[in-house]
Amino acid sequence: MPDPPLPRHLQLEVTSACNLRCTMCLVRYRPPVNKLAGAMRPELFHRLIADVPVRRLTLQGLGEPLLSPYLMEMVGAAVRNDIRVGFNSNATLLSRRRADELVASGLDWLHVSLDGAGPRVYEAIREGADFRQVIANLAGLAEAKRTAGSATPWIRVVFVAMRDNVGELPALVRLLSGIGVDELRVQNLSHDFGDTAGEYDAIRSFTLEQALWSGADRDRAGASFAEASQVARELGLNLRLPSLSDQGGGNCTWPWDAAYITSAGVVQPCCMVMGDDRVALGSLTESSFPEIWYGEAYRDFRRRLDSADPPDVCRGCSLYHHTF
């Protein structure tokens, strides 16, 4: 199997620190990280931009990107180099001043996590967040775009569908249609963590209880999806829904097309892994990115993923099973 060219898409964890403790996120189950200690250093970022012919940058990982003191420097560098750039945020820190700054920066997209249509469900999932403030911040971002006469950033709301919140989806479509967002993307939980043990027990148990792909709530989820689709058509909101059925594993191209790099410089095959103790293909503190990309660990990972015996970390991945 020939080596692929260096990737044109990198996803960089610009910080591993977060101000929330969300129920479905690995951050909740680990000790808090200081926002300075958890930030990717600018010198690492700029080295990657120099070493890789990247044309698309996703500046997010397990942490909240707006906590990074270097975020705007990174966005600016990407825009100057004609690289499309964006990130996902919980929007709790998305003040109107910051929204104006992001619109003016040339940011291509901003995805906002919103997993409920009201405070009760949303705040139980996104522990530490204020629903009304997040909605106000989201509306402020849309208004900042209108005021500037800008088509960017593209505003996508991301809803992680689980048993506890899937019934909220039609109401969320109605709410968002009045704010001015561009799209609502619904996704399943990312992984079943079936390949893990020890410190992953809590998040594995949570996923087993909440995942829609198990089938226990499939009829209710399907009805909610159908109603949300009808409402979205009526109100003109772009809506993307995931599959509720396992489509079979395979055809994942992440390790050929892109790479995920933690704030500490650990290179992983994709963003779905979570936890650099699960799989690490190299460290940028020891090697350059091209050396890692063309190294034996990456080659072996690609060979296995392209076979009937994929790496253990891929077996429980919803992207691998086409349910994400």
Side-chain angles (χ1 to χ4, degrees):
M1 180 187 302
D3 288 321
L6 288 169
R8 298 175 71 80
H9 177 205
L10 291 180
Q11 181 164 341
L12 309 181
E13 182 185 53
V14 294
T15 181
S16 56
C18 193
N19 59 333
L20 301 184
R21 309 293 285 179
C22 302
T23 57
M24 66 295 210
C25 182
L26 189 60
V27 169
R28 180 184 181 91
Y29 306 95
R30 291 187 164 179
V33 176
N34 177 277
K35 71 175 184 178
L36 290 177
M40 175 178 282
R41 298 300 182 220
E43 52 267 28
L44 174 56
F45 172 84
H46 291 294
R47 176 154 62 94
L48 282 165
I49 297 306
D51 286 352
V52 184
V54 60
R55 305 308 330 141
R56 177 183 174 91
L57 270 178
T58 302
L59 303 178
Q60 71 190 64
L62 290 177
E64 167 52 48
L66 291 176
L67 284 173
S68 169
Y70 313 114
L71 177 66
M72 297 311 298
E73 175 185 343
M74 294 173 177
V75 171
V79 172
R80 287 192 300 274
N81 286 279
D82 197 28
I83 299 169
R84 296 191 65 239
V85 60
F87 61 91
N88 191 93
S89 173
N90 59 41
T92 57
L93 304 175
L94 188 61
S95 65
R96 179 55 191 267
R97 180 191 63 79
R98 179 53 71 92
D100 289 335
E101 185 180 27
L102 289 169
V103 171
S105 74
L107 188 76
D108 286 285
W109 73 89
L110 202 163
H111 299 168
V112 173
S113 299
L114 194 60
D115 312 296
R120 183 184 63 82
V121 170
Y122 169 80
E123 291 172 9
I125 294 170
R126 301 271 170 183
E127 186 177 308
D130 182 316
F131 177 80
R132 291 182 175 85
Q133 185 61 61
V134 168
I135 293 298
N137 291 349
L138 181 58
L141 176 63
E143 178 58 30
K145 280 181 60 178
R146 288 191 291 268
T147 299
S150 177
T152 57
W154 176 268
I155 304 173
R156 171 191 282 171
V157 167
V158 179
F159 177 97
V160 180
M162 299 172 281
R163 289 177 182 169
D164 282 352
N165 70 346
V166 68
E168 298 262 293
L169 190 54
L172 182 62
V173 172
R174 294 185 180 93
L175 175 63
L176 294 179
S177 68
I179 291 177
V181 306
D182 296 301
E183 181 185 2
L184 170 60
R185 177 191 171 114
V186 181
Q187 63 187 50
N188 275 309
L189 291 168
S190 62
H191 212 285
D192 68 10
F193 294 94
D195 62 300
T196 64
E199 67 173 318
Y200 288 88
D201 287 350
I203 194 169
R204 186 173 62 251
S205 295
F206 173 84
T207 301
L208 181 63
E209 178 184 324
Q210 289 292 326
L212 297 175
W213 61 65
S214 67
D217 284 40
R218 191 166 295 166
D219 289 346
R220 186 168 69 92
S224 184
F225 281 10
E227 183 181 351
S229 294
Q230 178 62 35
V231 174
R233 285 193 294 270
E234 292 171 357
L235 298 178
L237 180 69
N238 292 307
L239 174 65
R240 184 270 187 192
L241 295 166
S243 172
L244 290 170
S245 301
D246 190 335
Q247 304 298 301
N251 301 315
C252 177
T253 63
W254 252 94
W256 288 266
D257 300 337
Y260 177 86
I261 301 168
T262 73
S263 58
V266 176
V267 179
Q268 297 185 277
C270 72
C271 68
M272 305 292 282
V273 172
M274 291 191 285
D276 57 17
D277 55 331
R278 297 176 71 193
V279 58
L281 301 175
S283 172
L284 293 167
T285 62
E286 301 170 358
S287 307
S288 70
F289 183 86
E291 288 171 337
I292 295 170
W293 183 256
Y294 295 119
E296 188 52 38
Y298 238 124
R299 287 170 173 159
D300 181 64
F301 193 92
R302 294 187 192 106
R303 279 194 296 267
R304 290 200 59 195
L305 184 56
D306 199 35
S307 75
D309 180 31
D312 289 344
V313 74
C314 299
R315 295 178 187 271
C317 173
S318 59
L319 189 62
Y320 181 78
H321 288 279
H322 307 284
T323 56
F324 191 61

